[in-house]
Structures are given as structure tokens and as C-alpha cells.
């Protein structure tokens, strides 16, 4: 078991190079199963979620090779297993993406209910309803989802909610079947666009990704190709908040600033100076942050739920009272008790958190409960007086590659130790 030891009080300054987006890489890895050729994913981040997904692909018979430069080569021609191993899929929510890609390739699939962070209900109803609209016969028994796609064909899918996972699953399922599929009220996240671009690079026919209406024309096969995923907007946003909270000066490279407009707007409201360029964001903050009156998480292009916890962390020492409303997941405030241990003043009622900024936080022994909440605790520890110990950092490793190394290069004082 490992933990992070953080000595607070350092100001963060310097250049941060953004890694490929976790939420783009995982569905793209799932989609690689559909290809009849070799896939090369450039600069694939070796976070634990990616390692689990690669393990799933190996168990299905895919040939995986990780290059020294971080690229991953995937050959799915030898894939033979249409069932995702239950013991490993329980570790990763994104394993549910395999349902669409496996169906597209084998016309049958068996998957278990997904795992991942326990941040609330993640109903698969949207996935099931969408696949049934493509004439997939689905049965749910004993924690498994059995899919028969022998009679699959294009169809019209209306999503009652713009679910990212359901949109991606349906896109993949529709890629290699006859006919045209239309997804109405589709999710608009940049990662949706990236998945569509990846599939199109291999010979797929997807139009409208990034809008609320996506059209997929089925093709007979996908060939191989080389692809680089978009930069991780959540990683970039976390770093921006770390810089703001420590009164720092950062340049974030390799990110489309349009993806982070909701956060950029909030940071400007909180008295940060931010300049945006083609693929760079410059942030400078010399004074104590100001409270942000109201932040409500929403599907893209609204404020992302994955940045709710890091934002809350930054507001614990802001001047004034901030209100945060979590609209997407009902139990995504698990970091709050840990922040309170550090002296934060936060009141939670249902999905609303009221944050009364304090002058400073103090060190404590705290525990990461989930991925983004764990990142929020690291941010809090950066500014806390004294030395903070953060336990169960395996959650953090699911989405950040050696977060201590990244922050130490900017001036932080963090050690990873084994206990």
C-alpha cells in the first residue's frame, strides 16, 4: 500500500504538458477491438485504468505491445472472446464500453455490471435501451448482461439523457452493422468527437459528433491506423486549480482551451489572470482566491462533474462563501469529510455544498475515497500548514500518472512512500 506525504506551502510555477485524456483513451481502446488491422495509439498514459483496459483486451485474445515511447500497439485480429472477464471488469467502469464494440465485431457479447469509483448510481438503462433500438436482444441475469446481436441493424435512438457512455457504446455498436443509425440527444463531450474521429480514421462513417444528433452509417470492416488522443481537460483543469490555489503561475500545454471554458470562466471570476492560445493556457494568480457564488455541474459544455471536487478544494480557502451543486452523481461529496479534517468549513445538504472560505487549512491524516476527490485532497494538502498524509492513493493513480512527479516539477514537496 502506498501513500502521499505532502509538505504544504509551496507556490507552483512552470510548464505542464498535458497527457492524453483518460476519458478519450478508454473508449478508443475498447473501439480498437473492431479493427482488422494494427492500431497504434501515440502517447497512451499508463494510468491504472488504462492498464486494466489493456489487460481486458489481452484476455480477449488481442495482441498488445507497449513501446518505450509510451505508444501502444494493438492487434485485434486474433481476438476470440466475446465475454469481458468479470473479475477484471469489476475494477473499471469503462469496461461497459466493451459491450458496443464486442457486439459490433462478434454480434454477441457478455459483460458484467461495471465497477470503478463508488460515486453514485451509474444506470446502464440508456445503454440497454439504445442497443435494443438496434435490434439487439438483451437479457440481464445474475449480474451479467447477455447480448444477442445476430439480427442487428441500424435504427433511431433517442437518449432521455445525454449519457456519454451510452452515446459511445451505441456509436461503436452501429459501426459494423448494416444500415444507418441516428442518435438523438447525444452527449457532446470532446471525448465523443475524439472517438468518432478515431473510428473514421479506420474507415468508419460517423457524422455529427459534438452535436446532439450523431449519424452512423455501418461499414463492413475497419482497417488499422495510428492515432493520438486529445489532451486531458480534467488533468489540465486540476493543474490550473492547483496553480490558482497556491498563488502560482502555470502554462498548460497541449490542451484545447475551448474544452475548459467553464473552468476558465470560474477562475477569472475568482480573480485569476488567464490567457488562452491555440493549445495553451496561461494562468497567473498572486492574491487569495475570491469565492464563486454558484457552480452547478452539467453535461458538456457545462461545468464538468470531474472538476467539482478539485474546484471545491480551491474554494475552501477563498474569500467568501461559495455554493456548489452536483447534478450528475448523488454521492460525489465523499471528499468533504476529509477536507473538514483539514479545517475546511463545508455544509452539505443532498446535492448542494456550501463552502465558507477559511484563511488557511492545516495538515491531517486523510484518505482518498475516489479518483477526483483524491486529487482534491492533494490540492488541499499543497496549501495546508504542515505535513499531510494521504492514504489509498490507488484511486488517484486511476486518472493521474505519478501526480507527485508532475507537481514536484512545479515546486511542490510531495513524496510517495510504501507502508
Amino acid at each position: 500500500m502506498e501513500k502521499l506525504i505532502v509538505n504544504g506551502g509551496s507556490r507552483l510555477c512552470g510548464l505542464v504538458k498535458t497527457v492524453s485524456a483518460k476519458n478519450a483513451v478508454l473508449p478508443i481502446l475498447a473501439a480498437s477491438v473492431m479493427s482488422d488491422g494494427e492500431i497504434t495509439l501515440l502517447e497512451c498514459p499508463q494510468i491504472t485504468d488504462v492498464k486494466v483496459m489493456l489487460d481486458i483486451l489481452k484476455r480477449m485474445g488481442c495482441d498488445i505491445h507497449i513501446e518505450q515511447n509510451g505508444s501502444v500497439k494493438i492487434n485485434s485480429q486474433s481476438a476470440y472472446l466475446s465475454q469481458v472477464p468479470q473479475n477484471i471488469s469489476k475494477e473499471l467502469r469503462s469496461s461497459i464500453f466493451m459491450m458496443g464494440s464486442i457486439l459490433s465485431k462478434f454480434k454477441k457479447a457478455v459483460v458484467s455490471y461495471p465497477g470503478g469509483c463508488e460515486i453514485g448510481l451509474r444506470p446502464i438503462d440508456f445503454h440497454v435501451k439504445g442497443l435494443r433500438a438496434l435490434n439487439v436482444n438483451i437479457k440481464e441475469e445474475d449480474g451479467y448482461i447477455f447480448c444477442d446481436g445476430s439480427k442487428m441493424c441500424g435504427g433511431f435512438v433517442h437518449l432521455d439523457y445525454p449519457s456519454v457512455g451510452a452515446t459511445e457504446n451505441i456509436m461503436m455498436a452501429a459501426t459494423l452493422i448494416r444500415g444507418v443509425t441516428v442518435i438523438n440527444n447525444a452527449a457532446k463531450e470532446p471525448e465523443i468527437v475524439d472517438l468518432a474521429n478515431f473510428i473514421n480514421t479506420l474507415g468508419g462513417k460517423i457524422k455529427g459528433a459534438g452535436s446532439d444528433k450523431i449519424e452512423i452509417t455501418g461499414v463492413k470492416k475497419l482497417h488499422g491506423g495510428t492515432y493520438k488522443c486529445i489532451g486531458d481537460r480534467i488533468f489540465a483543469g486540476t493543474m490550473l486549480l492547483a496553480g490558482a490555489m497556491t498563488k502560482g503561475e502555470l502554462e498548460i500545454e497541449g490542451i484545447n482551451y475551448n474544452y475548459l471554458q467553464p473552468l476558465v470562466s470560474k477562475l477569472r471570476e475568482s480573480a485569476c489572470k488567464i490567457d488562452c492560445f491555440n493549445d495553451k493556457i496561461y494562468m497567473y494568480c498572486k492574491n487569495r482566491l475570491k469565492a464563486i457564488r454558484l457552480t452547478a455541474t452539467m453535461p458538456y459544455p457545462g461545468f464538468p462533474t470531474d472538476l467539482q471536487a478539485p474546484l471545491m478544494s480551491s474554494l475552501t480557502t477563498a474569500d467568501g462563501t461559495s455554493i456548489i451543486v452536483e447534478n450528475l452523481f448523488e454521492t460525489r461529496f465523499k471528499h468533504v469529510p476529509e477536507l473538514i479534517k483539514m479545517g475546511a468549513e463545508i455544509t452539505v445538504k443532498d446535492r448542494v455544498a456550501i463552502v465558507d472560505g477559511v484563511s488557511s487549512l492545516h495538515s491531517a491524516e486523510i484518505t482518498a475515497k475516489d479518483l477526483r476527490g483524491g486529487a482534491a485532497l492533494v490540492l488541499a494538502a499543497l496549501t495546508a500548514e504542515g505535513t499531510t498524509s494521504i492514504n489509498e492513493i490507488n484511486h488517484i493513480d486511476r486518472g493521474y500518472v505519478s501526480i507527485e512527479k508532475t507537481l514536484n516539477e512545479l515546486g511542490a514537496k510531495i513524496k510517495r512512500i510504501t507502508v
Side-chain angles (χ1 to χ4, degrees), residues 14 41-42 65 120 134 141 177 198 215 235 301 360 412:
L41 285 185
L42 303 175
H65 181 68
L134 305 184
E141 296 177 1
I177 63 175
F198 170 72
E215 182 180 297
F235 168 83
S360 64

Side-chain angles (χ1 to χ4, degrees), residues 37-285:
E38 185 176 78
I39 305 293
T40 300
L41 285 185
L42 303 175
E43 299 179 25
C44 192
Q46 290 303 298
I47 52 178
T48 54
D49 272 11
V50 167
K51 292 176 181 177
V52 171
M53 183 63 89
L54 290 174
D55 197 9
I56 289 174
L57 295 177
K58 285 181 184 177
R59 305 266 188 108
M60 292 177 63
C62 299
D63 184 30
I64 308 291
H65 181 68
I66 301 174
E67 308 267 296
Q68 285 189 339
N69 62 6
S71 297
V72 175
K73 292 187 180 296
I74 306 161
N75 193 318
S76 302
Q77 287 181 297
S78 58
Y80 62 90
L81 190 63
S82 61
Q83 178 171 339
V84 178
Q86 183 185 30
N87 62 325
I88 193 166
S89 66
K90 287 294 184 182
E91 300 177 28
L92 181 66
R93 173 177 66 98
S94 299
S95 60
I96 197 68
F97 295 137
M98 298 300 301
M99 186 160 57
S101 58
I102 293 172
L103 267 171
S104 207
K105 184 179 182 73
F106 296 109
K107 303 303 181 282
K108 61 180 180 178
V110 181
V111 298
S112 61
Y113 284 91
C117 289
E118 296 180 3
I119 57 175
L121 296 174
R122 301 177 189 229
I124 63 163
D125 295 355
F126 304 123
H127 302 250
V128 170
K129 180 181 176 182
L131 293 175
R132 282 180 171 151
L134 305 184
N135 211 29
V136 179
N137 184 25
I138 298 177
K139 295 181 180 178
E140 300 175 54
E141 296 177 1
D142 301 323
Y144 284 93
I145 306 163
F146 297 86
C147 305
D148 177 2
S150 57
K151 298 180 180 179
M152 286 176 71
C153 60
F156 179 82
V157 179
H158 177 82
L159 292 175
D160 295 323
Y161 176 84
S163 163
V164 175
T167 300
E168 292 172 332
N169 236 334
I170 297 162
M171 283 168 56
M172 287 186 275
T175 294
L176 295 177
I177 63 175
R178 60 185 172 84
V180 176
T181 298
V182 174
I183 307 173
N184 197 39
N185 196 31
K188 304 175 184 177
E189 272 72 4
E191 294 79 14
I192 299 282
V193 178
D194 210 32
L195 176 60
N197 289 341
F198 170 72
I199 292 173
N200 288 343
T201 297
L202 307 184
K205 294 183 179 180
I206 301 177
K207 297 190 301 183
S211 72
D212 60 3
K213 184 177 180 180
I214 300 176
E215 182 180 297
I216 308 103
T217 301
V219 298
K220 291 185 178 181
K221 67 177 183 178
L222 297 180
H223 53 71
T226 299
Y227 195 78
K228 185 179 184 301
C229 297
I230 58 172
D232 194 324
R233 60 193 172 106
I234 307 304
F235 168 83
T238 302
M239 293 300 112
L240 284 172
L241 287 164
M245 196 173 181
T246 61
K247 300 177 184 176
E249 184 174 3
L250 297 181
E251 182 178 345
I252 313 293
E253 184 181 89
I255 187 68
N256 185 332
Y257 71 89
N258 288 308
Y259 298 161
L260 280 170
Q261 285 289 9
L263 177 63
V264 168
S265 176
K266 295 297 179 185
L267 287 174
R268 284 173 174 161
E269 182 182 340
S270 194
C272 293
K273 173 180 170 55
I274 297 186
D275 293 319
C276 300
F277 306 95
N278 289 335
D279 66 341
K280 294 180 181 179
I281 302 175
Y282 169 79
M283 188 283 307
Y284 175 71
C285 183

Side-chain angles (χ1 to χ4, degrees), residues 6-16 238-252 282-286 378-383 403-414:
V6 186
N7 291 317
S10 299
R11 182 172 182 258
L12 301 188
C13 298
L15 173 67
V16 180
T238 302
M239 293 300 112
L240 284 172
L241 287 164
M245 196 173 181
T246 61
K247 300 177 184 176
E249 184 174 3
L250 297 181
E251 182 178 345
I252 313 293
Y282 169 79
M283 188 283 307
Y284 175 71
C285 183
K286 66 177 181 179
V378 175
L379 266 58
L382 290 173
T383 62
I403 193 170
E404 73 282 4
K405 180 180 178 181
T406 302
L407 293 170
N408 282 340
E409 288 175 352
L410 301 173
K413 297 177 181 177
I414 308 176

Side-chain angles (χ1 to χ4, degrees), residues 317-329:
T317 54
D319 183 14
T321 299
S322 305
I323 298 174
I324 295 177
V325 182
E326 174 53 61
N327 288 310
L328 276 69
F329 295 111

Side-chain angles (χ1 to χ4, degrees), residues 374-392:
L377 299 184
V378 175
L379 266 58
L382 290 173
T383 62
E385 297 175 354
T387 302
T388 298
S389 175
I390 306 175
N391 300 303
E392 296 188 22

